[in-house]
Amino acid sequence: MIKEIKNENKVKMEKAIQNLKEELSSIRAGRANPKILDRVMVEYYGTPTPLNQLANISCPEARMILVQPWDPKSIPDLEKAIIKSDLGFNPGNDGKVIRLVIPQLTEDRRKELVKLAKKQGEESKVAIRNIRRNTNTALKNAEKEGLITEDELKSVEVEIQKITDEEIKKIDEIISAKNIEILEV
């Protein structure tokens, strides 16, 4: 019983950390990163389709993303979707590939992105704390039902708190690394 509750707690916390990493990967720092385009949806034959399913996306240079569509006829649709995505790119194409030049970030924009990263980090910390609270509630209910003893409850609550502290420390490290990436010129 206790082991199941602890495992479920760990899995949920790991999912929260993974979600944070995915959210942060969509924040563009000063250099090219193909993951920036992961959320771009293209209207392709009447169906919204992720850009990365319609093209090969690569970074041949530090400030350039190259989008090479499988179907060259889809280039106008891909360009339209990139412009509509509000990422601040001005796509250019030569009929075969789309080139996205990453503009240099201004100091103000870098500060805004740092604030956004911190906000996402705080939201993840809240999620971790909510998971801890729900786990502790499940443990207290198990104790009320006589499935675990009061001593086991106290012991497991201490373990859950240690796990929570470790996960929050991971979040701080992830946010710190992202902030360094955003602020480096």
Side-chain angles (χ1 to χ4, degrees), residues 13-45:
M13 286 186 178
E14 286 172 359
K15 283 182 182 174
I17 298 277
Q18 190 59 39
N19 187 37
L20 172 66
K21 288 178 181 177
E22 288 172 12
E23 290 288 321
L24 291 177
S25 72
S26 68
I27 295 178
R28 75 180 179 100
R31 71 175 88 113
N33 180 352
K35 287 194 172 281
I36 293 170
L37 299 175
D38 279 356
R39 295 193 176 165
V40 176
M41 298 298 279
V42 181
E43 195 68 31
Y44 188 66
Y45 289 110

PDB file of all heavy atoms in Angstrom, residues 13-45:
ATOM      1  N   MET A  13       5.406  13.360  -9.972  1.00  0.00           N
ATOM      2  CA  MET A  13       6.384  14.443  -9.849  1.00  0.00           C
ATOM      3  C   MET A  13       7.329  14.450 -11.052  1.00  0.00           C
ATOM      4  O   MET A  13       7.684  15.511 -11.556  1.00  0.00           O
ATOM      5  CB  MET A  13       7.154  14.329  -8.541  1.00  0.00           C
ATOM      6  CG  MET A  13       6.340  14.722  -7.335  1.00  0.00           C
ATOM      7  SD  MET A  13       7.334  14.754  -5.834  1.00  0.00           S
ATOM      8  CE  MET A  13       6.128  15.292  -4.630  1.00  0.00           C
ATOM      9  N   GLU A  14       7.734  13.267 -11.511  1.00  0.00           N
ATOM     10  CA  GLU A  14       8.597  13.195 -12.695  1.00  0.00           C
ATOM     11  C   GLU A  14       7.881  13.737 -13.927  1.00  0.00           C
ATOM     12  O   GLU A  14       8.493  14.407 -14.761  1.00  0.00           O
ATOM     13  CB  GLU A  14       9.060  11.747 -12.926  1.00  0.00           C
ATOM     14  CG  GLU A  14      10.110  11.300 -11.933  1.00  0.00           C
ATOM     15  CD  GLU A  14      10.434   9.820 -12.011  1.00  0.00           C
ATOM     16  OE1 GLU A  14       9.837   9.096 -12.839  1.00  0.00           O
ATOM     17  OE2 GLU A  14      11.300   9.378 -11.228  1.00  0.00           O
ATOM     18  N   LYS A  15       6.571  13.479 -14.035  1.00  0.00           N
ATOM     19  CA  LYS A  15       5.793  14.017 -15.163  1.00  0.00           C
ATOM     20  C   LYS A  15       5.749  15.541 -15.093  1.00  0.00           C
ATOM     21  O   LYS A  15       5.831  16.216 -16.121  1.00  0.00           O
ATOM     22  CB  LYS A  15       4.374  13.450 -15.167  1.00  0.00           C
ATOM     23  CG  LYS A  15       4.278  12.039 -15.682  1.00  0.00           C
ATOM     24  CD  LYS A  15       2.843  11.559 -15.713  1.00  0.00           C
ATOM     25  CE  LYS A  15       2.759  10.122 -16.184  1.00  0.00           C
ATOM     26  NZ  LYS A  15       1.390   9.590 -16.090  1.00  0.00           N
ATOM     27  N   ALA A  16       5.633  16.091 -13.896  1.00  0.00           N
ATOM     28  CA  ALA A  16       5.609  17.545 -13.731  1.00  0.00           C
ATOM     29  C   ALA A  16       6.946  18.152 -14.180  1.00  0.00           C
ATOM     30  O   ALA A  16       6.974  19.187 -14.859  1.00  0.00           O
ATOM     31  CB  ALA A  16       5.309  17.915 -12.284  1.00  0.00           C
ATOM     32  N   ILE A  17       8.048  17.499 -13.837  1.00  0.00           N
ATOM     33  CA  ILE A  17       9.379  17.968 -14.248  1.00  0.00           C
ATOM     34  C   ILE A  17       9.516  17.876 -15.769  1.00  0.00           C
ATOM     35  O   ILE A  17      10.013  18.794 -16.426  1.00  0.00           O
ATOM     36  CB  ILE A  17      10.499  17.136 -13.561  1.00  0.00           C
ATOM     37  CG1 ILE A  17      10.442  17.279 -12.051  1.00  0.00           C
ATOM     38  CG2 ILE A  17      11.871  17.491 -14.123  1.00  0.00           C
ATOM     39  CD1 ILE A  17      11.107  18.481 -11.467  1.00  0.00           C
ATOM     40  N   GLN A  18       9.069  16.757 -16.345  1.00  0.00           N
ATOM     41  CA  GLN A  18       9.152  16.568 -17.799  1.00  0.00           C
ATOM     42  C   GLN A  18       8.326  17.632 -18.519  1.00  0.00           C
ATOM     43  O   GLN A  18       8.751  18.181 -19.529  1.00  0.00           O
ATOM     44  CB  GLN A  18       8.666  15.154 -18.181  1.00  0.00           C
ATOM     45  CG  GLN A  18       8.930  14.788 -19.611  1.00  0.00           C
ATOM     46  CD  GLN A  18      10.408  14.837 -19.967  1.00  0.00           C
ATOM     47  OE1 GLN A  18      11.266  14.463 -19.194  1.00  0.00           O
ATOM     48  NE2 GLN A  18      10.711  15.321 -21.151  1.00  0.00           N
ATOM     49  N   ASN A  19       7.147  17.933 -17.988  1.00  0.00           N
ATOM     50  CA  ASN A  19       6.283  18.961 -18.567  1.00  0.00           C
ATOM     51  C   ASN A  19       6.986  20.318 -18.543  1.00  0.00           C
ATOM     52  O   ASN A  19       6.934  21.073 -19.515  1.00  0.00           O
ATOM     53  CB  ASN A  19       4.955  19.012 -17.811  1.00  0.00           C
ATOM     54  CG  ASN A  19       3.961  19.937 -18.454  1.00  0.00           C
ATOM     55  OD1 ASN A  19       3.880  20.036 -19.673  1.00  0.00           O
ATOM     56  ND2 ASN A  19       3.199  20.633 -17.635  1.00  0.00           N
ATOM     57  N   LEU A  20       7.666  20.628 -17.441  1.00  0.00           N
ATOM     58  CA  LEU A  20       8.412  21.886 -17.340  1.00  0.00           C
ATOM     59  C   LEU A  20       9.492  21.950 -18.421  1.00  0.00           C
ATOM     60  O   LEU A  20       9.642  22.964 -19.098  1.00  0.00           O
ATOM     61  CB  LEU A  20       9.045  22.034 -15.956  1.00  0.00           C
ATOM     62  CG  LEU A  20       9.998  23.222 -15.789  1.00  0.00           C
ATOM     63  CD1 LEU A  20       9.247  24.543 -15.914  1.00  0.00           C
ATOM     64  CD2 LEU A  20      10.729  23.145 -14.462  1.00  0.00           C
ATOM     65  N   LYS A  21      10.231  20.856 -18.594  1.00  0.00           N
ATOM     66  CA  LYS A  21      11.290  20.833 -19.605  1.00  0.00           C
ATOM     67  C   LYS A  21      10.720  21.080 -20.999  1.00  0.00           C
ATOM     68  O   LYS A  21      11.309  21.810 -21.798  1.00  0.00           O
ATOM     69  CB  LYS A  21      12.038  19.494 -19.573  1.00  0.00           C
ATOM     70  CG  LYS A  21      12.917  19.328 -18.362  1.00  0.00           C
ATOM     71  CD  LYS A  21      13.593  17.966 -18.358  1.00  0.00           C
ATOM     72  CE  LYS A  21      14.466  17.771 -17.140  1.00  0.00           C
ATOM     73  NZ  LYS A  21      15.068  16.423 -17.100  1.00  0.00           N
ATOM     74  N   GLU A  22       9.561  20.481 -21.290  1.00  0.00           N
ATOM     75  CA  GLU A  22       8.939  20.682 -22.601  1.00  0.00           C
ATOM     76  C   GLU A  22       8.494  22.135 -22.775  1.00  0.00           C
ATOM     77  O   GLU A  22       8.661  22.718 -23.843  1.00  0.00           O
ATOM     78  CB  GLU A  22       7.747  19.734 -22.767  1.00  0.00           C
ATOM     79  CG  GLU A  22       8.161  18.284 -22.952  1.00  0.00           C
ATOM     80  CD  GLU A  22       6.995  17.315 -22.931  1.00  0.00           C
ATOM     81  OE1 GLU A  22       5.832  17.758 -23.008  1.00  0.00           O
ATOM     82  OE2 GLU A  22       7.257  16.110 -22.823  1.00  0.00           O
ATOM     83  N   GLU A  23       7.930  22.708 -21.717  1.00  0.00           N
ATOM     84  CA  GLU A  23       7.505  24.110 -21.777  1.00  0.00           C
ATOM     85  C   GLU A  23       8.707  25.023 -22.025  1.00  0.00           C
ATOM     86  O   GLU A  23       8.639  25.942 -22.837  1.00  0.00           O
ATOM     87  CB  GLU A  23       6.814  24.517 -20.466  1.00  0.00           C
ATOM     88  CG  GLU A  23       5.461  23.903 -20.239  1.00  0.00           C
ATOM     89  CD  GLU A  23       4.395  24.483 -21.133  1.00  0.00           C
ATOM     90  OE1 GLU A  23       4.395  25.694 -21.376  1.00  0.00           O
ATOM     91  OE2 GLU A  23       3.539  23.700 -21.590  1.00  0.00           O
ATOM     92  N   LEU A  24       9.789  24.773 -21.323  1.00  0.00           N
ATOM     93  CA  LEU A  24      10.971  25.622 -21.452  1.00  0.00           C
ATOM     94  C   LEU A  24      11.641  25.463 -22.809  1.00  0.00           C
ATOM     95  O   LEU A  24      12.253  26.403 -23.315  1.00  0.00           O
ATOM     96  CB  LEU A  24      11.978  25.329 -20.337  1.00  0.00           C
ATOM     97  CG  LEU A  24      11.557  25.740 -18.931  1.00  0.00           C
ATOM     98  CD1 LEU A  24      12.613  25.336 -17.920  1.00  0.00           C
ATOM     99  CD2 LEU A  24      11.263  27.217 -18.830  1.00  0.00           C
ATOM    100  N   SER A  25      11.527  24.293 -23.419  1.00  0.00           N
ATOM    101  CA  SER A  25      12.167  24.093 -24.721  1.00  0.00           C
ATOM    102  C   SER A  25      11.520  24.965 -25.792  1.00  0.00           C
ATOM    103  O   SER A  25      12.130  25.248 -26.811  1.00  0.00           O
ATOM    104  CB  SER A  25      12.128  22.620 -25.131  1.00  0.00           C
ATOM    105  OG  SER A  25      10.827  22.242 -25.498  1.00  0.00           O
ATOM    106  N   SER A  26      10.273  25.393 -25.549  1.00  0.00           N
ATOM    107  CA  SER A  26       9.607  26.244 -26.534  1.00  0.00           C
ATOM    108  C   SER A  26       9.960  27.720 -26.363  1.00  0.00           C
ATOM    109  O   SER A  26       9.607  28.547 -27.200  1.00  0.00           O
ATOM    110  CB  SER A  26       8.088  26.059 -26.459  1.00  0.00           C
ATOM    111  OG  SER A  26       7.588  26.573 -25.246  1.00  0.00           O
ATOM    112  N   ILE A  27      10.661  28.068 -25.279  1.00  0.00           N
ATOM    113  CA  ILE A  27      11.119  29.449 -25.090  1.00  0.00           C
ATOM    114  C   ILE A  27      12.426  29.586 -25.846  1.00  0.00           C
ATOM    115  O   ILE A  27      13.385  28.879 -25.583  1.00  0.00           O
ATOM    116  CB  ILE A  27      11.342  29.777 -23.596  1.00  0.00           C
ATOM    117  CG1 ILE A  27      10.034  29.714 -22.839  1.00  0.00           C
ATOM    118  CG2 ILE A  27      11.977  31.162 -23.456  1.00  0.00           C
ATOM    119  CD1 ILE A  27      10.182  29.972 -21.352  1.00  0.00           C
ATOM    120  N   ARG A  28      12.435  30.516 -26.796  1.00  0.00           N
ATOM    121  CA  ARG A  28      13.645  30.630 -27.604  1.00  0.00           C
ATOM    122  C   ARG A  28      14.674  31.506 -26.911  1.00  0.00           C
ATOM    123  O   ARG A  28      14.375  32.589 -26.415  1.00  0.00           O
ATOM    124  CB  ARG A  28      13.342  31.137 -29.002  1.00  0.00           C
ATOM    125  CG  ARG A  28      13.023  32.595 -29.120  1.00  0.00           C
ATOM    126  CD  ARG A  28      12.760  32.905 -30.585  1.00  0.00           C
ATOM    127  NE  ARG A  28      12.434  34.295 -30.760  1.00  0.00           N
ATOM    128  CZ  ARG A  28      13.300  35.192 -31.172  1.00  0.00           C
ATOM    129  NH1 ARG A  28      14.521  34.864 -31.445  1.00  0.00           N
ATOM    130  NH2 ARG A  28      12.933  36.450 -31.315  1.00  0.00           N
ATOM    131  N   ALA A  29      15.856  31.000 -26.864  1.00  0.00           N
ATOM    132  CA  ALA A  29      16.982  31.790 -26.373  1.00  0.00           C
ATOM    133  C   ALA A  29      17.599  32.427 -27.620  1.00  0.00           C
ATOM    134  O   ALA A  29      16.986  32.437 -28.680  1.00  0.00           O
ATOM    135  CB  ALA A  29      17.965  30.896 -25.634  1.00  0.00           C
ATOM    136  N   GLY A  30      18.783  32.909 -27.537  1.00  0.00           N
ATOM    137  CA  GLY A  30      19.388  33.596 -28.671  1.00  0.00           C
ATOM    138  C   GLY A  30      19.838  32.700 -29.812  1.00  0.00           C
ATOM    139  O   GLY A  30      20.161  33.179 -30.878  1.00  0.00           O
ATOM    140  N   ARG A  31      19.861  31.400 -29.599  1.00  0.00           N
ATOM    141  CA  ARG A  31      20.375  30.523 -30.653  1.00  0.00           C
ATOM    142  C   ARG A  31      19.276  29.626 -31.207  1.00  0.00           C
ATOM    143  O   ARG A  31      18.231  29.444 -30.605  1.00  0.00           O
ATOM    144  CB  ARG A  31      21.540  29.704 -30.136  1.00  0.00           C
ATOM    145  CG  ARG A  31      21.187  28.636 -29.162  1.00  0.00           C
ATOM    146  CD  ARG A  31      22.435  27.846 -28.853  1.00  0.00           C
ATOM    147  NE  ARG A  31      23.129  28.459 -27.758  1.00  0.00           N
ATOM    148  CZ  ARG A  31      23.257  27.892 -26.575  1.00  0.00           C
ATOM    149  NH1 ARG A  31      22.765  26.719 -26.363  1.00  0.00           N
ATOM    150  NH2 ARG A  31      23.885  28.501 -25.618  1.00  0.00           N
ATOM    151  N   ALA A  32      19.549  29.061 -32.363  1.00  0.00           N
ATOM    152  CA  ALA A  32      18.578  28.223 -33.059  1.00  0.00           C
ATOM    153  C   ALA A  32      18.362  26.910 -32.308  1.00  0.00           C
ATOM    154  O   ALA A  32      19.297  26.302 -31.823  1.00  0.00           O
ATOM    155  CB  ALA A  32      19.063  27.936 -34.469  1.00  0.00           C
ATOM    156  N   ASN A  33      17.098  26.498 -32.241  1.00  0.00           N
ATOM    157  CA  ASN A  33      16.726  25.244 -31.602  1.00  0.00           C
ATOM    158  C   ASN A  33      15.496  24.708 -32.331  1.00  0.00           C
ATOM    159  O   ASN A  33      14.446  25.355 -32.312  1.00  0.00           O
ATOM    160  CB  ASN A  33      16.423  25.496 -30.128  1.00  0.00           C
ATOM    161  CG  ASN A  33      16.029  24.237 -29.391  1.00  0.00           C
ATOM    162  OD1 ASN A  33      15.834  23.177 -29.983  1.00  0.00           O
ATOM    163  ND2 ASN A  33      15.892  24.356 -28.083  1.00  0.00           N
ATOM    164  N   PRO A  34      15.583  23.561 -32.970  1.00  0.00           N
ATOM    165  CA  PRO A  34      14.449  23.043 -33.740  1.00  0.00           C
ATOM    166  C   PRO A  34      13.187  22.835 -32.898  1.00  0.00           C
ATOM    167  O   PRO A  34      12.080  22.886 -33.416  1.00  0.00           O
ATOM    168  CB  PRO A  34      14.946  21.705 -34.286  1.00  0.00           C
ATOM    169  CG  PRO A  34      16.390  21.648 -34.049  1.00  0.00           C
ATOM    170  CD  PRO A  34      16.746  22.697 -33.052  1.00  0.00           C
ATOM    171  N   LYS A  35      13.342  22.629 -31.579  1.00  0.00           N
ATOM    172  CA  LYS A  35      12.180  22.402 -30.714  1.00  0.00           C
ATOM    173  C   LYS A  35      11.261  23.623 -30.650  1.00  0.00           C
ATOM    174  O   LYS A  35      10.102  23.504 -30.267  1.00  0.00           O
ATOM    175  CB  LYS A  35      12.630  22.007 -29.311  1.00  0.00           C
ATOM    176  CG  LYS A  35      13.176  20.611 -29.230  1.00  0.00           C
ATOM    177  CD  LYS A  35      13.261  20.192 -27.791  1.00  0.00           C
ATOM    178  CE  LYS A  35      13.619  18.747 -27.648  1.00  0.00           C
ATOM    179  NZ  LYS A  35      12.511  17.850 -27.849  1.00  0.00           N
ATOM    180  N   ILE A  36      11.781  24.786 -31.012  1.00  0.00           N
ATOM    181  CA  ILE A  36      10.961  25.995 -31.017  1.00  0.00           C
ATOM    182  C   ILE A  36       9.734  25.812 -31.911  1.00  0.00           C
ATOM    183  O   ILE A  36       8.668  26.331 -31.632  1.00  0.00           O
ATOM    184  CB  ILE A  36      11.794  27.214 -31.500  1.00  0.00           C
ATOM    185  CG1 ILE A  36      12.886  27.537 -30.490  1.00  0.00           C
ATOM    186  CG2 ILE A  36      10.917  28.430 -31.730  1.00  0.00           C
ATOM    187  CD1 ILE A  36      13.891  28.553 -30.982  1.00  0.00           C
ATOM    188  N   LEU A  37       9.891  25.039 -32.968  1.00  0.00           N
ATOM    189  CA  LEU A  37       8.809  24.855 -33.942  1.00  0.00           C
ATOM    190  C   LEU A  37       7.887  23.681 -33.604  1.00  0.00           C
ATOM    191  O   LEU A  37       6.951  23.400 -34.359  1.00  0.00           O
ATOM    192  CB  LEU A  37       9.404  24.656 -35.343  1.00  0.00           C
ATOM    193  CG  LEU A  37      10.248  25.818 -35.870  1.00  0.00           C
ATOM    194  CD1 LEU A  37      10.879  25.453 -37.197  1.00  0.00           C
ATOM    195  CD2 LEU A  37       9.404  27.074 -36.014  1.00  0.00           C
ATOM    196  N   ASP A  38       8.117  22.999 -32.480  1.00  0.00           N
ATOM    197  CA  ASP A  38       7.313  21.819 -32.140  1.00  0.00           C
ATOM    198  C   ASP A  38       5.820  22.108 -32.017  1.00  0.00           C
ATOM    199  O   ASP A  38       5.004  21.241 -32.301  1.00  0.00           O
ATOM    200  CB  ASP A  38       7.806  21.182 -30.835  1.00  0.00           C
ATOM    201  CG  ASP A  38       9.020  20.291 -31.049  1.00  0.00           C
ATOM    202  OD1 ASP A  38       9.421  20.119 -32.219  1.00  0.00           O
ATOM    203  OD2 ASP A  38       9.557  19.778 -30.049  1.00  0.00           O
ATOM    204  N   ARG A  39       5.467  23.295 -31.592  1.00  0.00           N
ATOM    205  CA  ARG A  39       4.046  23.608 -31.387  1.00  0.00           C
ATOM    206  C   ARG A  39       3.382  24.272 -32.586  1.00  0.00           C
ATOM    207  O   ARG A  39       2.211  24.616 -32.534  1.00  0.00           O
ATOM    208  CB  ARG A  39       3.894  24.497 -30.172  1.00  0.00           C
ATOM    209  CG  ARG A  39       4.307  23.765 -28.919  1.00  0.00           C
ATOM    210  CD  ARG A  39       3.885  24.487 -27.714  1.00  0.00           C
ATOM    211  NE  ARG A  39       4.227  23.677 -26.545  1.00  0.00           N
ATOM    212  CZ  ARG A  39       4.246  24.136 -25.342  1.00  0.00           C
ATOM    213  NH1 ARG A  39       3.932  25.376 -25.107  1.00  0.00           N
ATOM    214  NH2 ARG A  39       4.567  23.353 -24.343  1.00  0.00           N
ATOM    215  N   VAL A  40       4.131  24.479 -33.652  1.00  0.00           N
ATOM    216  CA  VAL A  40       3.564  25.119 -34.842  1.00  0.00           C
ATOM    217  C   VAL A  40       2.687  24.114 -35.584  1.00  0.00           C
ATOM    218  O   VAL A  40       3.135  23.022 -35.939  1.00  0.00           O
ATOM    219  CB  VAL A  40       4.683  25.658 -35.772  1.00  0.00           C
ATOM    220  CG1 VAL A  40       4.081  26.237 -37.045  1.00  0.00           C
ATOM    221  CG2 VAL A  40       5.507  26.712 -35.056  1.00  0.00           C
ATOM    222  N   MET A  41       1.430  24.484 -35.777  1.00  0.00           N
ATOM    223  CA  MET A  41       0.477  23.626 -36.486  1.00  0.00           C
ATOM    224  C   MET A  41       0.230  24.214 -37.877  1.00  0.00           C
ATOM    225  O   MET A  41       0.013  25.413 -38.025  1.00  0.00           O
ATOM    226  CB  MET A  41      -0.847  23.539 -35.721  1.00  0.00           C
ATOM    227  CG  MET A  41      -0.699  22.928 -34.335  1.00  0.00           C
ATOM    228  SD  MET A  41      -0.101  21.236 -34.357  1.00  0.00           S
ATOM    229  CE  MET A  41      -1.593  20.363 -34.699  1.00  0.00           C
ATOM    230  N   VAL A  42       0.251  23.340 -38.884  1.00  0.00           N
ATOM    231  CA  VAL A  42       0.078  23.734 -40.278  1.00  0.00           C
ATOM    232  C   VAL A  42      -1.252  23.184 -40.776  1.00  0.00           C
ATOM    233  O   VAL A  42      -1.569  22.019 -40.548  1.00  0.00           O
ATOM    234  CB  VAL A  42       1.223  23.168 -41.151  1.00  0.00           C
ATOM    235  CG1 VAL A  42       1.056  23.590 -42.606  1.00  0.00           C
ATOM    236  CG2 VAL A  42       2.570  23.616 -40.620  1.00  0.00           C
ATOM    237  N   GLU A  43      -2.019  24.038 -41.441  1.00  0.00           N
ATOM    238  CA  GLU A  43      -3.257  23.583 -42.075  1.00  0.00           C
ATOM    239  C   GLU A  43      -2.851  22.875 -43.361  1.00  0.00           C
ATOM    240  O   GLU A  43      -2.499  23.501 -44.353  1.00  0.00           O
ATOM    241  CB  GLU A  43      -4.160  24.802 -42.371  1.00  0.00           C
ATOM    242  CG  GLU A  43      -5.591  24.461 -42.680  1.00  0.00           C
ATOM    243  CD  GLU A  43      -6.361  23.892 -41.497  1.00  0.00           C
ATOM    244  OE1 GLU A  43      -6.064  24.255 -40.341  1.00  0.00           O
ATOM    245  OE2 GLU A  43      -7.254  23.084 -41.743  1.00  0.00           O
ATOM    246  N   TYR A  44      -2.865  21.552 -43.344  1.00  0.00           N
ATOM    247  CA  TYR A  44      -2.371  20.746 -44.465  1.00  0.00           C
ATOM    248  C   TYR A  44      -3.494  19.846 -44.948  1.00  0.00           C
ATOM    249  O   TYR A  44      -3.931  18.944 -44.232  1.00  0.00           O
ATOM    250  CB  TYR A  44      -1.154  19.944 -43.994  1.00  0.00           C
ATOM    251  CG  TYR A  44      -0.414  19.207 -45.083  1.00  0.00           C
ATOM    252  CD1 TYR A  44       0.250  19.904 -46.084  1.00  0.00           C
ATOM    253  CD2 TYR A  44      -0.376  17.825 -45.108  1.00  0.00           C
ATOM    254  CE1 TYR A  44       0.939  19.245 -47.077  1.00  0.00           C
ATOM    255  CE2 TYR A  44       0.307  17.153 -46.106  1.00  0.00           C
ATOM    256  CZ  TYR A  44       0.966  17.865 -47.087  1.00  0.00           C
ATOM    257  OH  TYR A  44       1.646  17.203 -48.081  1.00  0.00           O
ATOM    258  N   TYR A  45      -3.965  20.111 -46.139  1.00  0.00           N
ATOM    259  CA  TYR A  45      -5.119  19.403 -46.706  1.00  0.00           C
ATOM    260  C   TYR A  45      -6.304  19.409 -45.745  1.00  0.00           C
ATOM    261  O   TYR A  45      -6.966  18.410 -45.536  1.00  0.00           O
ATOM    262  CB  TYR A  45      -4.750  17.959 -47.092  1.00  0.00           C
ATOM    263  CG  TYR A  45      -3.841  17.880 -48.282  1.00  0.00           C
ATOM    264  CD1 TYR A  45      -2.515  17.486 -48.138  1.00  0.00           C
ATOM    265  CD2 TYR A  45      -4.284  18.222 -49.558  1.00  0.00           C
ATOM    266  CE1 TYR A  45      -1.656  17.428 -49.226  1.00  0.00           C
ATOM    267  CE2 TYR A  45      -3.433  18.178 -50.655  1.00  0.00           C
ATOM    268  CZ  TYR A  45      -2.121  17.771 -50.490  1.00  0.00           C
ATOM    269  OH  TYR A  45      -1.293  17.712 -51.573  1.00  0.00           O
TER     270      TYR A  45
END
